[in-house]
Amino acid sequence: MAAHVGTLPRTRKKPEGLTGFLITVIDYMTTVDHKRIGVMYLGASFVFLLVGGLEALLIRTQLGASNLKLIAPDLYNQLFTMHGTTMVFMAVMPFNAGFGNYFLPIMVGARDMAYPRLNALSLWTFLFGGLFMYASFLLGGAPNAGWFSYAPLTESNYSVTHGMDFWVLGLQMLGVSSTLGAINFIVTALNLRAPGMRINRMPLFVWMTVVTSFLLVLSLPSVSIAMILLLFDRNLGTNFYIAKMGGDPLLWQHLFWFFGHPEVYVMILPAMGIISEVLPTFARKPIFGYSFVAYSGIAIGFLGFTVWAHHMFAVGMPPIVNAAFSLGSMLIGVPTGVKIFNWIGTLWGGNIRYSTAMLFAIGFIGMFVIGGIGGVFLGSPPVDYQITDTYFVVGHLHYVLVGGALVGIMSGFYYWFPKMTGRLLSEALGKTHFVLWTTGITLTFLPMHLLGILGMPRRIYTYYGDMGWDTWNLIQTFGAYLIGAGALLFLFNVLKSLRSGEVAGNDPWDGATLEWATSSPPPAYNFATTPIVGSRRPYWDHKHGGQGDSGAALEMGAPEHIHLPSPSIWPMVLAFGVMVAMTGMLYMKDLAESWAIGDMSVNPVVVLLGVVIVLFAAMNWQNEVSAGK
């Protein structure tokens, strides 16, 4: 039965040519529509992915043979620091935010996020935060102490440029963005669900986004405090992390990893949610063990807060402490294994369609299992002592984040691209992309485990030719270029399909959840009338004659007045003001010195200008809200 919630007729036709282009730009700068915000998140994340990928290729080229000096050592340090920072905070996390923004409201039957303007502020804070951090390359040098920036390398004596200050202030902006987005996701999922969509009927992608959001809200304060203390150390003469002055460098590690370990699940859980939607769709059967998949996500999130010190086994903690954190690390394998068995159970006996989205979902399972097993090794203190700070750790991390999170995200792109654009991505190009990525990931990251066991340290600039590492490093460099080729092929596929791709229709995969019940792409209001949900697979049951627990699987509500918030420029202006204020704060140390000699610096003017912009934007924002716009 072909029935969907329908759409209202469009009332405005956009002009063509330059005028139309300018109108589109203004529309996106002022939009508070969750779908456009999601698209901008995804687009910006892909740009940062390409930039971070280019940095990775430069690193891998430098390490492709022994004794190479293609890049200056300090620039190499800046590149691997910004590569890690970019991939974690500007690519993988925002990719998940992009899919969450676009699809979470539709999947729960809402018209928008709970706080649309706050959603726009989150986006612009992320964009300006990323640009702010990359400006460091042009303003004296980028951060160079690694993406987790251990003390005391980050202190002024060792990081003499403003690079670390850029890192601290830029990440504070990205943290604010993530916190605002997380609160919005939680409130939207808990308060704006369609009638009948109980908690245990929410799509699994929504479940994982909510769990991730709680992780962010609870973990980000820890690293925010750590970075504020570091900023004080570097600029105001405090000594929180300076041992000879009574501080403790390990304080940084505790505060950072209390955020850093849950951060791994922040990146991987949404990808698990994506493949939990893709696998049953292309296996043409319900997810096996819905409740186990949902609740194991909660268990992973909870346990993720109890194991931060397994990153610190080598710092000299008492054996009983190491044993406790090791036990917690092993326990995380239980809910993770539950998910893996449920995904395999979903495939078992299914009528499988091997589309590109499905191949990436299956690839996720295999790659993530390899990365997870590496984590089990590192969770054992005796083993960790032998391989800590070696390339084994780098291989484990990349298998989880590239082979796991990014491959899962790619599955989401091939799955949801038709819904976002109305056109299908090329399957031939997509499957070539899949082969390039899986081959490249294997060639790049699997040998890292062997090199780690052979003793190759991480973060080294070059190595001698008699270490026996040349062949594996050359293979890794070749594999990295395959991954880069796959990323460019995906970009070509997107551009080609946007221009001339096959028209997808509203429901190309015979989907089960509510996003497939509206048009492709969805209208601004998502649904003409509010859907009433009666099952976990409302649209699939509705199409195929199934019933809900106590009635119809999906019904349409009565016609209603649709109110959507007006566009607003003020979230973007406010985020810009924050960036201006942060720019002034970069020179806090210079400012203190200039005050000490009774001289006035230009820096307070910059800070004050940023504060004025923020207050002006906030005031106009409030006026819009008061006027009911």
Side-chain angles (χ1 to χ4, degrees), residues 283-299:
R284 307 185 204 198
K285 55 183 288 201
I287 187 86
F288 180 78
Y290 167 94
S291 299
F292 283 101
V293 177
Y295 296 143
S296 62
I298 297 175

Side-chain angles (χ1 to χ4, degrees), residues 299-320:
I300 290 172
F302 175 77
L303 290 171
F305 276 111
T306 67
V307 297
W308 77 91
H310 81 200
H311 297 271
M312 302 167 57
F313 284 148
V315 304
M317 294 187 297
I320 187 67

